[in-house]
Amino acid sequence: MKPYQKLASLLVASILLISTLLSACSKDSGELTKVRLGEVARTIFYAPQYVALAKDFFKEEGLQVELQTTAGGDKTMTALLSNVIDIALVGAETSIYVYQQGSDDVVMNFAQLTQTDGTFLMSREKLDAFTWDDLKNSVFLGQRKGGMPQMAGEFTLKKHGIDPKQDLELIQNVDFANIASAFASGTGQFVQLFEPQASIFEEEGKGYVVASFGVESGRLPYTVYMAKSSYLKKNQETAQKFTNAIYKAQQWVDGHSADEVADLIMPYFKDADPAIVASAVKRYKEQGSYASDPLLDQEEWGNLLDVLRQAGELKQEVKLDEIVDHSFAEQAKSKATP
């Protein structure tokens, strides 16, 4: 073979090899299934979700998760029902509201992320010996009526002998995204806040945590991944892979320190003080807010119905298996090796 022919052959072989590699790379990237995920809020309360993203657990399952924050339960559910998102991370009560209205395409809960209320009771003044009676005749800046934070809050107040409608001035007309700023500007003597805002206010001397609604209200399916029945039927493999990734993340959070979790999720809280993020994670870990697996159990469901019933929001009894699909969580637990 002449030198130029040999060179030509080598060039052709090289081109073919490069083409094959590019094709393989293109094929691999094409195999990632896109999932549009809407979260009801950006909060350290959802730390396992950010761990799943940061550790590439979704990508390991072949998923490309596109996360967007759809502030507020009503907005998140609207986005889900109108097919703007495929999966919603929101309170389980929203799926009950949709079910009570009647729907041919039931919204199904399939993986639980948090298992307690995530809010804390903050006082504007520092109270060395807080008692729940301190709330009587006060101005209380609460959450949206019918939302899980507010219902869990009222559930706790009633448990301590306080009538939210009679014993204090309850403010509920402030939008979820503006509650913290309203309190900072002087509205209310007490407020119900998520982390990291609670820790930030303590650091700034704007308020002081005096109690945890998560501890007081008990275990609840507080925030759950849900999707329309039609989506789950058409995308069973995707939903399973999604749940597998969440379970891996839950186990990772369960087995690592608050500082390690905080370090990993900092990209999702770029403007936050790392010490504040670590403090918030520590609080949630200590009170068991992060579920260690995605399975929603009967006891939690019963507690949720009690909270809804007491709030006057339960129009009909809803059995667990009517809007909860356990199959994805059960399979994730049985096959995963975190």
Side-chain angles (χ1 to χ4, degrees):
M1 181 180 290
K2 295 181 180 181
Y4 74 86
Q5 291 176 319
K6 186 175 182 181
L7 178 60
S9 297
L10 287 172
L11 286 173
V12 171
S14 297
I15 291 170
L16 288 173
L17 177 60
I18 292 170
S19 297
T20 301
L21 290 172
L22 289 174
S23 176
C25 290
S26 176
K27 184 179 180 181
D28 287 342
S29 63
E31 287 176 354
L32 288 178
T33 301
K34 184 171 76 172
V35 176
R36 299 169 301 168
L37 170 62
E39 59 177 5
V40 69
R42 176 60 53 87
T43 167
I44 296 165
F45 191 42
Y46 302 155
Q49 172 177 271
Y50 310 125
V51 167
L53 289 163
K55 296 286 289 183
D56 283 338
F57 290 151
F58 289 119
K59 286 187 178 179
E60 287 177 6
E61 293 288 336
L63 303 180
Q64 178 188 336
V65 172
E66 297 181 354
L67 178 64
Q68 56 183 288
T69 304
T70 46
D74 50 347
K75 293 177 182 176
T76 304
M77 185 54 71
T78 298
L80 183 66
L81 295 176
S82 58
N83 297 318
V84 172
I85 57 177
D86 303 311
I87 295 174
L89 175 65
V90 65
E93 80 284 352
T94 58
S95 63
I96 292 178
Y97 295 154
V98 172
Y99 183 82
Q100 289 179 156
Q101 293 171 1
S103 173
D104 294 331
D105 197 355
V106 178
V107 173
M108 298 294 291
N109 302 274
F110 67 91
Q112 178 171 281
L113 188 71
T114 61
Q115 60 187 14
T116 74
D117 184 287
T119 60
F120 296 86
L121 176 63
M122 297 202 74
S123 168
R124 187 174 298 282
E125 304 297 328
K126 192 169 185 178
L127 302 175
D128 294 327
F130 168 77
T131 69
W132 288 91
D133 284 342
D134 291 332
L135 287 171
K136 291 184 176 179
N137 301 313
S138 70
V139 181
F140 185 94
L141 179 54
Q143 300 277 338
R144 177 180 60 85
K145 185 180 184 301
M148 202 61 216
Q150 181 61 36
M151 292 190 294
E154 293 189 17
F155 183 78
T156 297
L157 294 179
K158 290 175 183 177
K159 188 172 76 171
H160 287 282
I162 298 173
D163 186 333
K165 302 296 190 294
Q166 302 294 328
D167 295 335
L168 47 78
E169 182 183 340
L170 180 61
I171 299 175
Q172 291 181 282
N173 61 351
V174 179
D175 187 70
F176 175 82
N178 298 321
I179 291 174
S181 58
F183 184 73
S185 65
T187 302
Q189 295 165 268
F190 292 90
V191 67
Q192 187 178 352
L193 290 178
F194 285 91
E195 289 283 17
Q197 198 61 59
S199 289
I200 290 173
F201 276 5
E202 282 192 318
E203 181 74 16
E204 296 174 344
K206 294 179 180 178
Y208 304 89
V209 171
V210 294
S212 164
F213 286 107
V215 171
E216 295 290 336
S217 59
R219 288 185 58 183
L220 294 162
Y222 202 80
T223 31
V224 182
Y225 292 104
M226 59 187 72
K228 293 195 291 186
S229 295
S230 58
Y231 178 85
L232 292 178
K233 288 177 182 177
K234 294 176 183 176
N235 302 277
Q236 289 188 21
E237 185 178 356
T238 297
Q240 187 59 63
K241 290 178 177 180
F242 185 95
T243 308
N244 293 345
I246 290 299
Y247 181 47
K248 289 178 187 177
Q250 289 173 322
Q251 290 289 288
W252 194 94
V253 169
D254 202 39
H256 289 75
S257 69
D259 286 337
E260 289 173 309
V261 175
D263 286 344
L264 191 61
I265 68 174
M266 276 307 300
Y268 298 92
F269 302 92
K270 292 180 180 178
D271 297 328
D273 181 340
I276 292 292
V277 176
S279 170
V281 172
K282 186 172 183 289
R283 270 190 174 136
Y284 283 135
K285 279 176 69 71
E286 287 179 344
Q287 68 182 35
S289 290
Y290 302 133
S292 58
D293 66 62
L295 194 61
L296 195 166
D297 66 37
Q298 183 63 56
E299 182 180 351
E300 292 170 328
W301 189 254
N303 200 15
L304 171 63
L305 295 184
D306 285 343
V307 170
L308 287 165
R309 194 178 293 112
Q310 193 171 102
E313 300 290 345
L314 189 65
K315 308 306 180 187
Q316 66 185 92
E317 292 298 316
V318 182
K319 294 180 180 179
L320 181 69
D321 58 4
E322 289 179 315
I323 56 174
V324 177
D325 187 338
H326 286 129
S327 64
F328 302 105
E330 288 173 344
Q331 186 171 337
K333 286 186 66 177
S334 67
K335 292 189 176 182
T337 54

